[in-house]
Amino acid sequence: MPIYQLEPRNLNSPHWGRSWHRALCLVAAPTETKARALATAIFDQVAKHEPGPEPLVNPWSDPNLVTCAESGKKPKGMKEGMIALPDGRGGWDIRGGPVGGTEVA
């Protein structure tokens, strides 16, 4: 299972108001599209939006706001459907459960 590294850029975009997480993450998914969709679903939050030309959308699916590439990193125990966030100590905090599973890591 590939591990994708998603990394925000352009954090000044108002669309970041739709995400509770605004830093690098790793996602175990079969494709880039599915990795972005998983990050979008997990990090989504409701945000107040002033009327404007476009509605706010979650930034994780937008290639202009988040880079996404296969990563050489593979945190131990990471399976499809899981996301890893930096733990601040040089390791990873793994979230979610494997696809088809009922466990929560």
Coordinates of all heavy atoms in Angstrom, one line a residue:
M1 N 0.8 -1.2 0.0 CA 0.0 0.0 0.0 C 0.9 1.2 0.0 O 1.7 1.4 0.9 CB -0.9 0.0 1.2 CG -1.7 1.2 1.5 SD -3.0 1.6 0.2 CE -3.8 0.0 0.0
P2 N 0.7 2.1 -1.0 CA 1.5 3.3 -1.0 C 1.1 4.3 0.2 O 0.0 4.3 0.7 CB 1.1 4.0 -2.3 CG 0.4 3.0 -3.1 CD -0.2 2.0 -2.1
I3 N 2.1 5.0 0.6 CA 1.9 6.0 1.7 C 2.2 7.4 0.9 O 3.2 7.6 0.3 CB 2.9 5.9 2.8 CG1 2.9 4.5 3.4 CG2 2.7 7.0 3.8 CD1 1.7 4.2 4.3
Y4 N 1.2 8.3 1.0 CA 1.3 9.6 0.4 C 1.6 10.6 1.4 O 1.1 10.6 2.5 CB 0.0 9.9 -0.4 CG -0.1 9.1 -1.6 CD1 -0.8 7.9 -1.6 CD2 0.4 9.5 -2.8 CE1 -1.0 7.1 -2.7 CE2 0.2 8.8 -4.0 CZ -0.4 7.6 -3.9 OH -0.6 6.8 -5.0
Q5 N 2.5 11.6 1.1 CA 2.8 12.7 1.9 C 2.1 13.9 1.4 O 2.3 14.3 0.2 CB 4.3 13.0 2.0 CG 4.7 14.1 2.9 CD 6.2 14.2 3.1 OE1 6.8 13.2 3.5 NE2 6.7 15.4 2.9
L6 N 1.2 14.5 2.2 CA 0.5 15.7 1.8 C 1.0 16.8 2.6 O 1.2 16.7 3.8 CB -1.0 15.5 2.0 CG -1.8 14.6 1.0 CD1 -1.5 13.1 1.3 CD2 -3.2 14.9 1.1
E7 N 1.3 17.9 1.9 CA 1.9 19.0 2.6 C 1.3 20.3 2.1 O 1.3 20.7 1.0 CB 3.4 19.1 2.3 CG 4.2 20.1 3.2 CD 5.6 19.8 3.3 OE1 6.2 18.9 2.6 OE2 6.3 20.5 4.0
P8 N 0.7 21.1 3.1 CA 0.1 22.3 2.8 C 1.0 23.4 2.2 O 2.2 23.4 2.5 CB -0.5 22.8 4.1 CG -0.6 21.6 4.9 CD 0.5 20.8 4.5
R9 N 0.5 24.2 1.4 CA 1.2 25.4 0.9 C 0.1 26.5 0.8 O -1.1 26.2 0.8 CB 1.9 25.2 -0.4 CG 1.1 24.7 -1.5 CD 1.9 24.4 -2.7 NE 1.1 24.1 -3.9 CZ 1.6 23.7 -5.0 NH1 2.9 23.5 -5.1 NH2 0.9 23.4 -6.0
N10 N 0.5 27.7 0.7 CA -0.4 28.9 0.7 C -1.4 28.8 1.8 O -2.6 28.8 1.6 CB -1.1 28.9 -0.7 CG -1.9 30.2 -0.8 OD1 -1.8 31.1 -0.1 ND2 -2.8 30.2 -1.8
L11 N -0.9 28.8 3.1 CA -1.8 28.8 4.2 C -2.6 30.1 4.4 O -3.4 30.1 5.3 CB -1.0 28.5 5.5 CG -0.5 27.0 5.6 CD1 0.5 26.8 6.7 CD2 -1.6 26.0 5.7
N12 N -2.3 31.1 3.6 CA -3.1 32.3 3.7 C -4.4 32.2 3.0 O -5.3 33.1 3.1 CB -2.3 33.5 3.1 CG -1.0 33.8 3.9 OD1 -1.1 33.7 5.1 ND2 0.0 34.1 3.2
S13 N -4.7 31.1 2.2 CA -6.0 31.0 1.5 C -7.1 30.8 2.6 O -7.0 30.1 3.6 CB -5.9 29.7 0.7 OG -7.2 29.4 0.2
P14 N -8.2 31.5 2.3 CA -9.4 31.4 3.2 C -9.9 30.0 3.3 O -10.6 29.6 4.3 CB -10.4 32.4 2.7 CG -10.0 32.6 1.2 CD -8.5 32.4 1.2
H15 N -9.6 29.1 2.3 CA -10.1 27.7 2.3 C -9.5 26.9 3.5 O -10.1 25.9 3.9 CB -9.8 27.1 1.0 CG -10.5 27.7 -0.2 ND1 -11.8 27.6 -0.4 CD2 -10.0 28.4 -1.2 CE1 -12.2 28.2 -1.5 NE2 -11.1 28.8 -2.0
W16 N -8.4 27.4 4.1 CA -7.9 26.6 5.2 C -8.8 26.7 6.5 O -8.6 25.9 7.4 CB -6.4 27.1 5.5 CG -5.5 26.5 4.6 CD1 -4.9 27.1 3.5 CD2 -5.1 25.1 4.5 NE1 -4.1 26.2 2.8 CE2 -4.3 25.0 3.4 CE3 -5.4 24.0 5.3 CZ2 -3.7 23.8 3.0 CZ3 -4.8 22.8 4.9 CH2 -4.0 22.7 3.8
G17 N -9.7 27.6 6.4 CA -10.7 27.7 7.5 C -11.6 26.4 7.5 O -12.2 26.1 8.6
R18 N -11.6 25.6 6.5 CA -12.4 24.4 6.4 C -11.6 23.2 6.9 O -12.1 22.1 6.8 CB -12.8 24.1 5.0 CG -13.9 25.0 4.4 CD -15.3 24.7 5.0 NE -15.6 23.3 5.1 CZ -16.3 22.7 4.2 NH1 -16.7 23.3 3.1 NH2 -16.6 21.4 4.3
S19 N -10.4 23.4 7.4 CA -9.6 22.2 7.9 C -9.1 22.5 9.3 O -8.5 23.5 9.6 CB -8.4 22.0 7.0 OG -7.6 20.9 7.4
W20 N -9.2 21.5 10.2 CA -8.7 21.7 11.6 C -7.2 21.3 11.6 O -6.5 21.6 12.6 CB -9.5 20.8 12.6 CG -9.5 19.4 12.4 CD1 -10.4 18.6 11.7 CD2 -8.5 18.4 12.8 NE1 -10.1 17.3 11.7 CE2 -8.9 17.1 12.4 CE3 -7.3 18.6 13.5 CZ2 -8.1 16.0 12.7 CZ3 -6.5 17.4 13.8 CH2 -6.9 16.2 13.4
H21 N -6.7 20.7 10.6 CA -5.2 20.4 10.5 C -4.6 21.1 9.4 O -5.2 21.1 8.3 CB -5.1 18.9 10.3 CG -3.6 18.4 10.3 ND1 -2.8 18.4 11.4 CD2 -2.9 18.0 9.3 CE1 -1.6 18.0 11.1 NE2 -1.6 17.7 9.8
R22 N -3.5 21.8 9.6 CA -2.8 22.6 8.6 C -1.4 22.4 8.5 O -0.6 23.3 8.4 CB -3.1 24.1 8.9 CG -4.6 24.5 8.9 CD -4.8 25.9 9.2 NE -6.2 26.2 9.2 CZ -7.0 26.2 10.2 NH1 -6.6 25.9 11.4 NH2 -8.3 26.5 10.1
A23 N -1.0 21.1 8.6 CA 0.5 20.7 8.5 C 0.6 19.4 7.8 O -0.4 18.8 7.4 CB 1.0 20.6 9.9
L24 N 1.8 19.0 7.6 CA 2.1 17.8 6.9 C 1.4 16.6 7.5 O 1.2 16.5 8.7 CB 3.7 17.6 7.0 CG 4.2 16.2 6.4 CD1 5.2 16.5 5.4 CD2 4.7 15.4 7.6
C25 N 1.0 15.6 6.6 CA 0.5 14.4 7.1 C 0.8 13.3 6.1 O 1.2 13.5 5.0 CB -1.0 14.5 7.3 SG -2.0 14.6 5.7
L26 N 0.8 12.0 6.5 CA 0.9 10.9 5.7 C -0.4 10.1 5.6 O -1.1 10.0 6.6 CB 2.0 9.9 6.3 CG 3.4 10.5 6.5 CD1 4.3 9.5 7.1 CD2 4.0 11.0 5.1
V27 N -0.7 9.6 4.4 CA -2.0 8.9 4.2 C -1.7 7.6 3.5 O -1.0 7.6 2.5 CB -3.0 9.8 3.4 CG1 -4.3 9.0 3.2 CG2 -3.2 11.1 4.0
A28 N -2.2 6.5 4.0 CA -2.1 5.2 3.4 C -3.3 5.0 2.5 O -4.4 4.9 3.0 CB -2.0 4.1 4.4
A29 N -3.1 5.0 1.2 CA -4.2 4.9 0.2 C -3.7 4.4 -1.1 O -2.5 4.5 -1.4 CB -4.9 6.3 0.0
P30 N -4.5 3.7 -1.9 CA -4.1 3.1 -3.1 C -3.7 4.1 -4.2 O -2.9 3.9 -5.1 CB -5.2 2.2 -3.6 CG -6.4 2.7 -2.8 CD -5.9 3.4 -1.6
T31 N -4.3 5.4 -4.1 CA -4.0 6.4 -5.2 C -4.0 7.8 -4.5 O -4.4 8.0 -3.4 CB -5.2 6.4 -6.2 OG1 -6.4 6.9 -5.5 CG2 -5.4 5.1 -6.9
E32 N -3.4 8.7 -5.2 CA -3.3 10.1 -4.8 C -4.7 10.6 -4.5 O -5.0 11.3 -3.6 CB -2.6 11.0 -5.8 CG -2.6 12.4 -5.4 CD -1.9 13.3 -6.4 OE1 -1.1 12.9 -7.2 OE2 -2.2 14.6 -6.4
T33 N -5.6 10.3 -5.5 CA -7.0 10.8 -5.4 C -7.7 10.4 -4.1 O -8.3 11.1 -3.4 CB -7.9 10.4 -6.6 OG1 -7.2 10.9 -7.8 CG2 -9.3 10.8 -6.5
K34 N -7.5 9.1 -3.7 CA -8.0 8.5 -2.5 C -7.4 9.1 -1.3 O -8.0 9.3 -0.2 CB -8.0 7.0 -2.5 CG -9.0 6.5 -3.5 CD -9.2 5.0 -3.5 CE -10.2 4.6 -4.5 NZ -10.6 3.2 -4.5
A35 N -6.1 9.4 -1.4 CA -5.3 10.0 -0.2 C -5.9 11.4 0.0 O -6.1 11.7 1.2 CB -3.8 10.0 -0.5
R36 N -6.1 12.1 -1.0 CA -6.6 13.5 -0.8 C -8.1 13.4 -0.3 O -8.5 14.2 0.6 CB -6.6 14.2 -2.2 CG -5.3 14.7 -2.6 CD -5.4 15.4 -3.9 NE -4.1 15.9 -4.4 CZ -3.5 17.0 -3.9 NH1 -4.1 17.8 -3.0 NH2 -2.3 17.4 -4.4
A37 N -8.9 12.5 -0.8 CA -10.3 12.3 -0.3 C -10.3 12.0 1.2 O -11.1 12.5 1.9 CB -11.0 11.3 -1.1
L38 N -9.4 11.1 1.6 CA -9.4 10.7 3.0 C -9.0 11.9 3.9 O -9.6 12.1 4.9 CB -8.4 9.5 3.2 CG -8.4 8.9 4.6 CD1 -9.7 8.4 5.0 CD2 -7.3 7.8 4.7
A39 N -7.9 12.6 3.5 CA -7.5 13.8 4.3 C -8.7 14.8 4.3 O -8.9 15.4 5.4 CB -6.3 14.4 3.7
T40 N -9.3 15.0 3.2 CA -10.5 15.9 3.2 C -11.5 15.5 4.2 O -12.0 16.4 4.9 CB -11.1 16.0 1.7 OG1 -10.1 16.5 0.9 CG2 -12.3 16.9 1.7
A41 N -11.9 14.3 4.2 CA -12.9 13.8 5.1 C -12.5 13.9 6.5 O -13.3 14.3 7.4 CB -13.3 12.3 4.7
I42 N -11.3 13.5 6.9 CA -10.9 13.5 8.3 C -10.7 14.9 8.8 O -11.0 15.2 10.0 CB -9.6 12.7 8.4 CG1 -10.0 11.2 8.2 CG2 -8.9 12.9 9.8 CD1 -8.9 10.2 8.3
F43 N -10.1 15.8 8.0 CA -9.8 17.2 8.5 C -10.9 18.2 8.3 O -10.7 19.4 8.7 CB -8.5 17.7 7.8 CG -7.3 16.8 8.1 CD1 -6.4 16.6 7.1 CD2 -7.1 16.2 9.3 CE1 -5.2 15.8 7.3 CE2 -5.9 15.4 9.5 CZ -5.0 15.2 8.5
D44 N -12.0 17.8 7.7 CA -13.0 18.8 7.4 C -13.7 19.4 8.7 O -13.8 18.7 9.7 CB -14.2 18.2 6.6 CG -15.1 19.2 6.0 OD1 -14.6 20.3 5.6 OD2 -16.3 18.9 5.8
Q45 N -13.9 20.7 8.6 CA -14.7 21.4 9.7 C -15.5 22.5 9.1 O -15.2 23.0 8.0 CB -13.7 21.9 10.8 CG -13.0 23.2 10.3 CD -12.1 23.7 11.4 OE1 -12.0 23.2 12.5 NE2 -11.5 24.8 11.2
V46 N -16.6 22.8 9.8 CA -17.5 23.9 9.3 C -16.8 25.2 9.6 O -16.2 25.4 10.7 CB -18.8 23.8 10.0 CG1 -19.7 25.0 9.6 CG2 -19.5 22.5 9.7
A47 N -16.9 26.1 8.7 CA -16.2 27.4 8.9 C -17.2 28.5 8.5 O -17.9 28.4 7.5 CB -15.0 27.5 8.0
K48 N -17.1 29.6 9.3 CA -17.9 30.8 8.9 C -17.3 31.4 7.7 O -16.1 31.5 7.6 CB -17.9 31.8 10.1 CG -18.8 33.0 9.8 CD -18.8 33.9 11.0 CE -19.6 35.1 10.7 NZ -19.6 36.1 11.8
H49 N -18.2 31.8 6.8 CA -17.7 32.3 5.5 C -18.4 33.6 5.2 O -19.7 33.6 5.2 CB -17.9 31.3 4.4 CG -17.5 31.8 3.0 ND1 -16.3 32.3 2.7 CD2 -18.2 31.9 1.9 CE1 -16.2 32.6 1.5 NE2 -17.4 32.4 0.9
E50 N -17.7 34.6 5.0 CA -18.3 35.9 4.5 C -18.7 35.7 3.1 O -18.0 35.1 2.3 CB -17.2 37.0 4.7 CG -16.7 37.3 6.1 CD -17.8 37.6 7.0 OE1 -18.8 38.4 6.7 OE2 -17.8 37.2 8.2
P51 N -19.8 36.3 2.7 CA -20.2 36.2 1.3 C -19.1 36.7 0.4 O -18.4 37.7 0.6 CB -21.4 37.2 1.2 CG -21.9 37.3 2.6 CD -20.7 37.1 3.5
G52 N -18.9 36.0 -0.7 CA -17.9 36.3 -1.6 C -18.1 35.6 -2.9 O -19.1 34.9 -3.2
P53 N -17.1 35.6 -3.8 CA -17.3 35.1 -5.2 C -17.3 33.5 -5.2 O -17.8 33.0 -6.1 CB -16.0 35.6 -5.9 CG -15.0 35.9 -4.8 CD -15.8 36.3 -3.6
E54 N -16.7 32.9 -4.2 CA -16.7 31.4 -4.2 C -16.9 30.8 -2.8 O -16.5 31.4 -1.8 CB -15.4 30.9 -4.8 CG -14.2 31.3 -4.0 CD -12.9 30.9 -4.7 OE1 -12.5 29.7 -4.5 OE2 -12.3 31.7 -5.4
P55 N -17.6 29.7 -2.7 CA -17.7 29.1 -1.4 C -16.4 28.5 -0.9 O -15.5 28.1 -1.7 CB -18.8 28.0 -1.6 CG -18.6 27.7 -3.1 CD -18.2 28.9 -3.8
L56 N -16.2 28.4 0.4 CA -15.1 27.8 1.0 C -15.2 26.3 0.7 O -16.2 25.7 0.9 CB -14.9 28.0 2.5 CG -14.6 29.5 2.9 CD1 -14.6 29.6 4.4 CD2 -13.3 30.0 2.2
V57 N -14.1 25.7 0.3 CA -14.0 24.2 0.2 C -12.8 23.7 1.0 O -11.8 24.4 1.2 CB -13.9 23.8 -1.3 CG1 -15.1 24.2 -2.1 CG2 -12.6 24.4 -2.0
N58 N -12.8 22.4 1.4 CA -11.7 21.9 2.1 C -10.5 21.8 1.2 O -10.6 21.4 0.1 CB -12.1 20.5 2.6 CG -11.1 19.9 3.6 OD1 -9.9 19.7 3.2 ND2 -11.5 19.8 4.8
P59 N -9.4 22.4 1.7 CA -8.2 22.5 0.8 C -7.4 21.2 0.5 O -6.6 21.3 -0.5 CB -7.3 23.5 1.6 CG -7.7 23.2 3.0 CD -9.1 22.9 3.0
W60 N -7.6 20.2 1.2 CA -6.8 19.0 1.0 C -7.0 18.3 -0.4 O -6.1 17.6 -0.9 CB -7.1 17.9 2.1 CG -6.6 18.5 3.4 CD1 -7.3 19.1 4.3 CD2 -5.2 18.4 3.8 NE1 -6.5 19.5 5.3 CE2 -5.2 19.1 5.1 CE3 -4.0 17.9 3.3 CZ2 -4.0 19.2 5.8 CZ3 -2.9 18.1 4.1 CH2 -2.9 18.7 5.3
S61 N -8.1 18.6 -1.1 CA -8.3 18.1 -2.5 C -7.7 19.0 -3.6 O -7.7 18.6 -4.7 CB -9.8 17.8 -2.7 OG -10.5 19.0 -2.6
D62 N -7.3 20.2 -3.2 CA -6.8 21.2 -4.2 C -5.3 21.1 -4.3 O -4.6 21.5 -3.4 CB -7.3 22.6 -3.7 CG -7.0 23.6 -4.7 OD1 -6.1 23.5 -5.6 OD2 -7.6 24.7 -4.6
P63 N -4.8 20.7 -5.5 CA -3.3 20.7 -5.8 C -2.6 22.0 -5.6 O -1.4 22.1 -5.5 CB -3.2 20.1 -7.2 CG -4.5 19.5 -7.5 CD -5.6 20.2 -6.6
N64 N -3.4 23.1 -5.8 CA -2.8 24.4 -5.6 C -2.6 24.8 -4.1 O -1.8 25.7 -3.8 CB -3.7 25.5 -6.2 CG -3.8 25.4 -7.7 OD1 -2.7 25.2 -8.4 ND2 -5.0 25.4 -8.2
L65 N -3.2 24.1 -3.2 CA -3.1 24.3 -1.8 C -2.4 23.2 -1.0 O -1.9 23.5 0.1 CB -4.5 24.6 -1.2 CG -5.3 25.7 -1.7 CD1 -6.7 25.8 -1.1 CD2 -4.5 27.0 -1.5
V66 N -2.3 22.0 -1.6 CA -1.6 20.9 -0.9 C -0.9 20.1 -2.0 O -1.5 19.6 -2.9 CB -2.7 20.0 -0.2 CG1 -2.0 18.8 0.4 CG2 -3.5 20.8 0.8
T67 N 0.4 19.9 -1.7 CA 1.2 18.9 -2.6 C 0.9 17.5 -2.1 O 0.6 17.3 -0.9 CB 2.7 19.2 -2.5 OG1 3.1 19.0 -1.2 CG2 3.0 20.6 -3.0
C68 N 1.0 16.6 -3.0 CA 0.8 15.2 -2.7 C 1.7 14.3 -3.5 O 1.7 14.4 -4.7 CB -0.7 14.8 -2.9 SG -1.1 13.1 -2.5
A69 N 2.5 13.5 -2.9 CA 3.4 12.6 -3.6 C 3.7 11.4 -2.7 O 3.6 11.4 -1.5 CB 4.8 13.3 -3.9
E70 N 4.0 10.3 -3.4 CA 4.4 9.1 -2.6 C 5.5 9.4 -1.7 O 6.5 10.1 -2.1 CB 4.7 7.9 -3.6 CG 3.4 7.3 -4.1 CD 3.6 5.9 -4.7 OE1 4.3 5.0 -4.1 OE2 3.2 5.7 -5.8
S71 N 5.5 8.8 -0.5 CA 6.5 9.1 0.5 C 7.4 7.8 0.7 O 6.9 6.7 0.6 CB 5.8 9.5 1.8 OG 6.8 9.6 2.8
G72 N 8.6 8.0 1.1 CA 9.4 6.9 1.5 C 9.3 6.5 2.9 O 9.8 5.5 3.4
K73 N 8.5 7.4 3.6 CA 8.2 7.1 5.1 C 7.1 6.1 5.2 O 6.1 6.1 4.5 CB 7.9 8.4 5.8 CG 8.9 9.5 5.7 CD 8.4 10.8 6.1 CE 9.4 11.9 6.0 NZ 8.9 13.1 5.5
K74 N 7.2 5.2 6.2 CA 6.2 4.3 6.5 C 6.1 4.0 7.9 O 6.8 3.1 8.5 CB 6.4 2.9 5.7 CG 5.2 2.0 5.9 CD 5.1 0.9 5.0 CE 3.9 0.1 5.2 NZ 3.7 -1.1 4.4
P75 N 5.3 4.8 8.7 CA 5.2 4.5 10.1 C 4.7 3.1 10.4 O 3.9 2.6 9.7 CB 4.2 5.6 10.5 CG 4.2 6.6 9.5 CD 4.5 5.9 8.2
K76 N 5.3 2.5 11.4 CA 5.0 1.1 11.8 C 3.5 1.0 12.1 O 2.9 1.8 12.8 CB 5.8 0.8 13.1 CG 5.6 -0.7 13.5 CD 6.5 -1.0 14.6 CE 6.2 -2.5 15.0 NZ 7.1 -2.8 16.2
G77 N 2.9 0.0 11.5 CA 1.5 -0.3 11.7 C 0.5 0.4 10.9 O -0.7 0.2 11.0
M78 N 1.0 1.2 10.0 CA 0.1 2.0 9.1 C -0.5 1.1 8.0 O 0.2 0.4 7.3 CB 0.8 3.2 8.5 CG -0.1 4.3 8.1 SD 0.8 5.8 7.9 CE -0.4 6.7 7.1
K79 N -1.8 1.2 7.9 CA -2.5 0.4 6.9 C -3.5 1.3 6.1 O -3.7 2.4 6.5 CB -3.3 -0.7 7.6 CG -2.5 -1.7 8.3 CD -3.3 -2.8 8.9 CE -2.4 -3.8 9.5 NZ -2.5 -4.1 10.9
E80 N -4.0 0.8 5.0 CA -4.9 1.6 4.2 C -6.0 2.2 5.0 O -6.6 1.6 5.9 CB -5.5 0.7 3.1 CG -6.5 1.5 2.2 CD -7.1 0.6 1.1 OE1 -6.8 -0.6 0.9 OE2 -8.0 1.2 0.4
G81 N -6.2 3.5 4.7 CA -7.3 4.2 5.4 C -6.8 5.0 6.7 O -7.6 5.6 7.3
M82 N -5.5 4.8 7.0 CA -5.0 5.5 8.2 C -4.2 6.8 7.8 O -3.7 6.9 6.7 CB -4.0 4.6 8.9 CG -4.7 3.4 9.5 SD -3.5 2.3 10.4 CE -4.6 1.4 11.4
I83 N -4.2 7.7 8.7 CA -3.4 9.0 8.5 C -2.4 9.1 9.7 O -2.8 8.7 10.8 CB -4.4 10.2 8.5 CG1 -5.1 10.2 7.2 CG2 -3.7 11.5 8.8 CD1 -6.0 11.4 7.0
A84 N -1.2 9.6 9.4 CA -0.2 9.8 10.4 C 0.1 11.3 10.5 O 0.3 11.9 9.4 CB 1.0 9.0 10.1
L85 N 0.1 11.8 11.7 CA 0.4 13.2 11.9 C 1.7 13.3 12.7 O 2.0 12.4 13.5 CB -0.7 13.9 12.7 CG -2.1 13.8 12.2 CD1 -3.1 14.5 13.1 CD2 -2.2 14.4 10.8
P86 N 2.6 14.3 12.4 CA 3.8 14.4 13.2 C 3.5 14.5 14.7 O 2.5 15.3 15.1 CB 4.4 15.7 12.7 CG 3.8 15.9 11.3 CD 2.4 15.3 11.4
D87 N 4.2 13.8 15.5 CA 3.9 13.8 17.0 C 4.7 14.9 17.7 O 4.6 15.0 18.9 CB 4.1 12.5 17.6 CG 5.5 12.0 17.7 OD1 6.4 12.8 17.3 OD2 5.7 10.8 18.1
G88 N 5.5 15.6 17.0 CA 6.3 16.7 17.7 C 7.6 16.2 18.3 O 8.4 16.9 18.9
R89 N 7.8 14.9 18.3 CA 9.0 14.3 18.9 C 9.8 13.5 17.8 O 10.6 12.6 18.2 CB 8.6 13.3 20.0 CG 7.9 14.0 21.2 CD 7.5 13.1 22.3 NE 6.8 11.9 21.9 CZ 5.4 11.9 21.8 NH1 4.7 12.9 22.1 NH2 4.8 10.8 21.4
G90 N 9.6 13.7 16.6 CA 10.3 13.0 15.5 C 9.6 11.7 15.1 O 10.1 11.0 14.2
G91 N 8.4 11.4 15.6 CA 7.7 10.2 15.3 C 6.3 10.6 14.7 O 6.1 11.7 14.3
W92 N 5.4 9.6 14.7 CA 4.1 9.8 14.1 C 3.0 9.4 15.0 O 3.1 8.4 15.7 CB 4.0 9.0 12.8 CG 5.0 9.5 11.8 CD1 6.3 8.9 11.5 CD2 4.9 10.6 10.9 NE1 6.9 9.6 10.6 CE2 6.1 10.7 10.1 CE3 3.9 11.5 10.6 CZ2 6.3 11.6 9.2 CZ3 4.1 12.5 9.7 CH2 5.3 12.5 8.9
D93 N 1.9 10.1 15.0 CA 0.7 9.8 15.7 C -0.3 9.2 14.6 O -0.7 10.0 13.7 CB 0.1 11.0 16.3 CG -1.2 10.8 17.1 OD1 -1.5 9.6 17.4 OD2 -1.9 11.8 17.4
I94 N -0.5 7.9 14.7 CA -1.4 7.3 13.6 C -2.8 7.4 14.0 O -3.2 7.0 15.2 CB -0.9 5.8 13.4 CG1 0.5 5.8 12.9 CG2 -1.9 5.1 12.4 CD1 1.1 4.5 12.7
R95 N -3.7 7.8 13.1 CA -5.1 7.9 13.4 C -5.9 7.1 12.4 O -5.5 6.9 11.3 CB -5.5 9.4 13.2 CG -4.7 10.4 13.9 CD -5.4 10.8 15.2 NE -4.5 11.8 15.9 CZ -4.9 13.0 16.1 NH1 -6.0 13.5 15.6 NH2 -4.1 13.8 16.8
G96 N -7.1 6.7 12.8 CA -8.0 5.9 12.0 C -7.8 4.4 12.1 O -6.9 4.0 12.8
G97 N -8.6 3.7 11.3 CA -8.5 2.3 11.3 C -8.4 1.8 9.9 O -8.6 2.5 9.0
P98 N -7.9 0.5 9.8 CA -7.7 0.0 8.4 C -9.1 -0.1 7.7 O -10.1 -0.3 8.3 CB -7.1 -1.4 8.7 CG -7.5 -1.7 10.1 CD -7.6 -0.4 10.8
V99 N -9.0 0.0 6.4 CA -10.2 -0.1 5.6 C -10.9 -1.5 5.9 O -10.2 -2.5 5.8 CB -9.9 0.1 4.1 CG1 -11.1 -0.3 3.2 CG2 -9.5 1.5 3.8
G100 N -12.1 -1.5 6.1 CA -12.8 -2.7 6.4 C -12.7 -3.2 7.9 O -13.3 -4.1 8.3
G101 N -12.0 -2.5 8.6 CA -11.8 -2.8 10.0 C -12.6 -2.0 10.9 O -13.3 -1.0 10.5
T102 N -12.7 -2.4 12.2 CA -13.5 -1.6 13.2 C -12.6 -1.0 14.3 O -13.0 -0.3 15.2 CB -14.5 -2.5 13.9 OG1 -13.9 -3.6 14.5 CG2 -15.5 -3.0 12.9
E103 N -11.3 -1.2 14.2 CA -10.3 -0.7 15.2 C -10.1 0.8 15.0 O -10.2 1.3 13.9 CB -9.0 -1.4 15.0 CG -9.0 -2.9 15.2 CD -7.6 -3.4 15.0 OE1 -6.6 -2.7 15.2 OE2 -7.6 -4.6 14.6
V104 N -9.8 1.5 16.0 CA -9.4 2.9 16.0 C -8.1 2.9 16.6 O -7.9 2.5 17.8 CB -10.4 3.8 16.7 CG1 -9.9 5.2 16.7 CG2 -11.8 3.7 16.0
A105 N -7.1 3.4 15.9 CA -5.7 3.5 16.4 C -5.5 4.8 17.1 O -6.2 5.8 16.9 CB -4.7 3.4 15.3

